[in-house]
Amino acid sequence: MDLSAFESDNSVSCRLSSPIPDVCKTEDCCLGIDEAGRGPVLGPMVYGICFCPVSRKEALKNLKVADSKTLTEAERENLFRKLDEAKSFVGWALQMLSPNTISTSMLQRAKYNLNALSHDAAIGLVQFALDCGVQLKEVFVDTVGPAEKYQEKLSKLFPEVAVTVRPKADSLFPIVSAASICAKVARDHAVQSWKFTEDLGDVDTDYGSGYPNDPKTKSWLLKYLDPVFGYPQFVRFSWSTAQTLLDSKAATVHWDDDDEDGEKAAARQKNTSMLSFLSHSKPAELKHTRDTHRFFTERKLQSSNTL
Amino acid sequence: MTTKKKRSAHTNRDRWVVIAPDSVLDTGSSADSDPSFTKLKNPATGSSSLYLFGCGDVRVYEVKAFNEEFRSWFIGQTVQRDGRLLYVTPIDCLFLLLPYIRSAATEGKFQPVKQMVMDEDFPGCTRLLKCKQGLDSLHHVADEKEVGGLKFHRYNQEKTMEWLKKKVQRTVSTLKKSNISVGGGVKSSTFVRVKQEADATEEDYLRYAHGLISEYISEDLSKDLLKHLQLPEISSPKETEPPSKKRKLSDKPVEAGEDYTKFNSADFARKAPKKMTAAQKTLAKVDKTGMKSIAAFFSPKVKQEKN
């Protein structure tokens, strides 16, 4: 699998795809969607679609594709090669969501959660297949969140297509299994050959599975924690594992959208707490002092008496 | 992300980010006259503020800090916690001399400036006597007498008012030139009107300029100047308070004004505060700057600045 397009800039989201088989443009097709790398604190999350003509479903079954989780890495590689060889009727496309994309989405001001990110990646890939001229008739999806709601959402977006959302779809429908293999193989490759944009010298690549409960992953996270910057972009900052370590080991950083509540926050924001209106003495801010002219307050300019 | 931790006091104040005119670094004729920061009496508040002497004390500058919350600097290979940006701008030395000359006026005698400009709390003030520009313009605020090559001065209120009036007028023309919104409607400097501010009256400009100049003179001078400019005083809305709701004492038996018992049923039992829903949380994060608090609509009407 050629990941060079992703590796050239692994800080953003990237789409990789196989050529579209000609039969897929003329015959009715089915399409499977699955994802790999949802849980790990390290590395990208990969969304994969696989599609083939409905009439060739049997041929896909004969490739003995199965849920990627039940396969060893070698078996997965082998199956991916077979899928790639069947390019006369099987096509695939991948959306690589870099850990940086995940971090920045989940931690931005208007929070964009992982489910929404996942849904949008899946929707984007289906749209991509449609835009490429694939005659989609059936779509099978392994669910993210409640299956019914997800199915309704997808059906509304793609009214021409029969959408089936099922938990464990990757073991039920071969086309979903195929998609899961593509996604998993891409993720494994991306993690194994991760190119760090940060200057870390000889990076210790023994980071284990990347899952938060893996002790190897945890010790790697501790080793590469910078007090100012936190982690390399390889790490999903939005994961609570990463955040807990940052909270305890790294320098404290305050953002202006940090959630603070209560009287303290009100005082900090120079708001007057409701309680102060009930007490007899006026708070200091309300006592008459000369206000700084708004020319300065609007521009956040203060005279200072210290350097 | 890290709201639980307390902020420690600012430390590491040995470096600042400063914007200053080139003239600050101009050492003038004498070699040992590096610019230096000095604390002087702030002419408006009487408290201590930071100023900078340059060119062998010939020029004096005020120091204003752009200070917004949640700002830090990256400088070279280091992080600076203090995200302030200091502006060093020329100040008319006469503003700083004026409080001393005024307070000496109570004796009603002509005195040498040297005798007037003395301050135990701010010994740095004697350096003001080297500011040529300030000494040369003393006649704007004081009567002058020369006896035997020595100059003597006495504070003159009328002259001062005329001088300040000129300052206001010059500020007005600068405000107009630099398109600064002076009308009451605009609350944010980042909000730029597409339309030229045609609704700002001459009085708006005068008031705004008066307010700006008042940042450099004492409160009573500011009030005198307002009269001199023939601008009526407006009570700021902050000073007015809603009328006291205290019940007048009377001999009549006290009766309940309203019947609240109907709220005593179980339906009105206090409910535990609910956790905010995601939608409410996002709503709470909306930028509320520039919005009036709801309480503002209930306070009695005060005369507002004309727009």
Side-chain angles (χ1 to χ4, degrees):
Chain A
M1 187 181 282
D2 179 20
L3 289 178
S4 53
F6 177 63
E7 279 165 356
S8 68
D9 181 3
N10 61 23
S11 66
V12 293
S13 179
C14 166
R15 181 170 293 153
L16 306 169
S17 66
S18 71
I20 311 293
D22 286 334
V23 277
C24 294
K25 293 181 185 169
T26 51
E27 281 187 45
D28 287 355
C29 289
C30 60
L31 180 147
I33 312 177
D34 199 12
E35 118 281 299
R38 197 178 158 76
V41 61
L42 301 179
M45 178 164 83
V46 181
Y47 253 81
I49 57 167
C50 224
F51 47 89
C52 73
V54 178
S55 56
R56 306 293 290 269
K57 268 186 185 169
E58 281 310 305
L60 200 66
K61 235 179 214 163
N62 295 339
L63 287 177
K64 296 214 170 55
V65 289
D67 176 10
S68 66
K69 284 180 208 95
T70 63
L71 303 169
T72 65
E73 199 179 330
E75 285 171 322
R76 277 198 304 264
E77 294 282 334
N78 198 19
L79 276 170
F80 178 72
R81 208 168 320 119
K82 279 190 189 161
L83 279 171
D84 217 27
E85 279 161 11
K87 55 165 127 329
S88 62
F89 66 98
V90 178
W92 53 265
L94 297 170
Q95 190 71 34
M96 314 275 294
L97 298 161
S98 71
N100 186 48
T101 307
I102 298 170
S103 306
T104 50
S105 302
M106 291 174 72
L107 294 174
Q108 71 192 16
R109 245 163 220 267
K111 301 286 175 274
Y112 181 32
N113 69 35
L114 198 64
N115 275 3
L117 198 64
S118 303
H119 287 186
D120 290 348
I123 290 162
L125 282 168
V126 174
Q127 191 60 54
F128 169 76
L130 286 171
D131 292 347
C132 289
V134 178
Q135 297 296 308
L136 277 190
K137 284 291 166 299
E138 302 167 6
V139 167
F140 300 92
V141 194
D142 199 353
T143 192
V144 170
E148 265 172 50
K149 266 193 182 171
Y150 193 19
Q151 179 158 332
E152 202 185 300
K153 184 175 176 182
L154 290 174
S155 302
K156 251 187 203 160
L157 281 165
F158 305 106
E160 312 293 304
V161 182
V163 180
T164 311
V165 179
R166 279 293 156 71
K168 305 234 162 57
D170 49 353
S171 51
L172 296 172
F173 311 105
I175 194 71
V176 179
S177 311
S180 99
I181 286 164
C182 293
K184 184 77 179 147
V185 168
R187 164 153 166 103
D188 287 348
H189 282 227
V191 170
Q192 274 156 27
S193 60
W194 187 263
K195 294 207 167 47
F196 287 89
T197 44
E198 297 81 8
D199 181 16
L200 298 175
D202 273 333
V203 191
D204 173 9
T205 51
D206 190 17
Y207 28 69
S209 66
Y211 278 87
N213 53 6
D214 185 336
K216 265 190 182 172
T217 302
K218 258 205 162 149
S219 63
W220 189 88
L221 283 175
L222 266 176
K223 187 172 167 188
Y224 284 98
L225 187 139
D226 180 279
V228 172
F229 297 101
Y231 292 111
Q233 285 190 1
F234 186 46
V235 179
R236 300 181 190 173
F237 282 63
S238 46
W239 254 237
S240 64
T241 327
Q243 289 192 358
T244 316
L245 284 174
L246 286 173
D247 280 353
S248 58
K249 302 269 194 279
T252 312
V253 179
H254 297 280
W255 302 97
D256 60 4
D257 61 343
D258 282 346
D259 289 317
E260 269 184 288
D261 32 41
E263 243 186 300
K264 245 170 128 187
R268 214 180 42 70
Q269 290 164 11
K270 308 241 163 49
N271 291 334
T272 314
S273 145
M274 181 62 109
L275 291 173
S276 68
F277 291 107
L278 305 174
S279 65
H280 284 291
S281 63
K282 284 204 239 167
E285 296 102 290
L286 288 186
K287 277 181 194 139
H288 182 68
T289 47
R290 255 170 109 189
D291 294 322
T292 309
H293 191 256
R294 70 175 216 247
F295 177 85
F296 295 110
T297 50
E298 281 168 4
R299 286 161 181 78
K300 312 265 181 210
L301 288 171
Q302 308 168 340
S303 3
S304 59
N305 65 347
T306 45
L307 270 180
Chain B
M1 190 159 123
T2 50
T3 50
K4 302 254 154 56
K5 278 196 242 170
K6 270 191 190 160
R7 289 165 210 217
S8 58
H10 282 238
T11 48
N12 190 15
R13 278 275 176 88
D14 53 351
R15 197 172 46 178
W16 333 279
V17 183
V18 182
I19 293 184
D22 289 335
S23 63
V24 168
L25 297 172
D26 176 14
T27 50
S29 48
S30 50
D32 56 351
S33 53
D34 282 339
S36 63
F37 288 106
T38 312
K39 279 181 194 175
L40 294 175
K41 192 199 308 208
N42 185 310
T45 60
S47 57
S48 134
S49 286
L50 205 61
Y51 296 87
L52 185 132
F53 283 103
C55 301
D57 294 3
V58 177
R59 281 190 208 173
V60 65
Y61 303 84
E62 67 170 330
V63 181
K64 289 263 183 213
F66 171 78
N67 197 1
E68 218 174 9
E69 269 198 297
F70 310 112
R71 301 277 179 263
S72 300
W73 291 105
F74 278 110
I75 303 170
Q77 291 299 311
T78 57
V79 182
Q80 178 151 314
R81 172 182 190 146
D82 171 21
R84 292 185 311 165
L85 176 58
L86 299 182
Y87 286 96
V88 171
T89 47
I91 182 173
D92 187 339
C93 180
L94 201 52
F95 281 121
L96 298 171
L97 288 170
L98 192 57
Y100 295 108
I101 296 166
R102 268 191 92 210
S103 58
T106 46
E107 296 160 43
K109 285 187 294 192
F110 281 90
Q111 291 176 58
V113 214
K114 248 187 201 171
Q115 244 173 56
M116 297 191 258
V117 185
M118 281 191 290
D119 196 333
E120 280 180 359
D121 300 326
F122 301 99
C125 73
T126 50
R127 295 173 72 175
L128 291 169
L129 297 171
K130 289 195 194 167
C131 292
K132 199 171 171 307
Q133 179 234 356
L135 295 186
D136 287 351
S137 52
L138 275 179
H139 63 271
H140 288 306
V141 298
D143 300 323
E144 265 179 344
K145 248 187 198 175
E146 209 171 324
V147 181
L150 272 173
K151 274 189 179 171
F152 296 85
H153 291 91
R154 186 176 65 185
Y155 174 71
N156 183 320
Q157 171 87 1
E158 281 147 52
K159 277 185 169 182
T160 307
M161 283 299 129
E162 272 310 303
W163 174 67
L164 287 172
K165 190 178 175 180
K166 274 182 204 150
K167 286 271 182 205
V168 169
Q169 283 160 347
R170 287 180 67 174
T171 310
V172 166
S173 65
T174 309
L175 286 172
K176 285 180 180 168
K177 254 187 259 162
S178 27
N179 274 329
I180 285 169
S181 308
V182 297
V186 180
K187 293 282 184 233
S188 164
S189 59
T190 49
F191 176 82
V192 180
R193 276 185 194 223
V194 181
K195 192 164 64 91
Q196 265 289 341
E197 209 177 352
D199 51 346
T201 62
E202 202 59 30
E203 189 189 324
D204 286 334
Y205 276 108
L206 268 181
R207 270 195 200 285
Y208 196 97
H210 168 263
L212 264 179
I213 295 296
S214 297
E215 289 288 312
Y216 297 91
I217 53 177
S218 66
E219 192 166 4
D220 54 328
L221 263 185
S222 163
K223 277 185 183 149
D224 291 345
L225 180 58
L226 204 60
K227 268 183 222 142
H228 191 72
L229 293 168
Q230 291 169 335
L231 290 171
E233 245 184 280
I234 36 170
S235 56
S236 83
K238 267 194 179 168
E239 287 177 57
T240 55
E241 260 191 284
S244 167
K245 285 274 175 67
K246 247 184 199 165
R247 189 180 282 270
K248 292 243 167 60
L249 285 173
S250 79
D251 299 330
K252 285 175 190 163
V254 180
E255 262 178 77
E258 282 165 71
D259 183 11
Y260 294 105
T261 47
K262 60 183 172 185
F263 295 111
N264 287 346
S265 68
D267 301 350
F268 285 90
R270 209 177 250 247
K271 279 179 195 150
K274 265 190 209 159
K275 260 205 158 176
M276 279 206 284
T277 64
Q280 283 172 317
K281 269 187 191 163
T282 26
L283 199 62
K285 276 185 190 156
V286 166
D287 180 15
K288 296 187 203 69
T289 47
M291 291 190 197
K292 263 189 180 173
S293 93
I294 204 153
F297 295 95
F298 295 104
S299 59
K301 262 221 161 115
V302 283
K303 214 176 142 198
Q304 287 281 334
E305 271 185 26
K306 265 196 271 168
N307 293 335

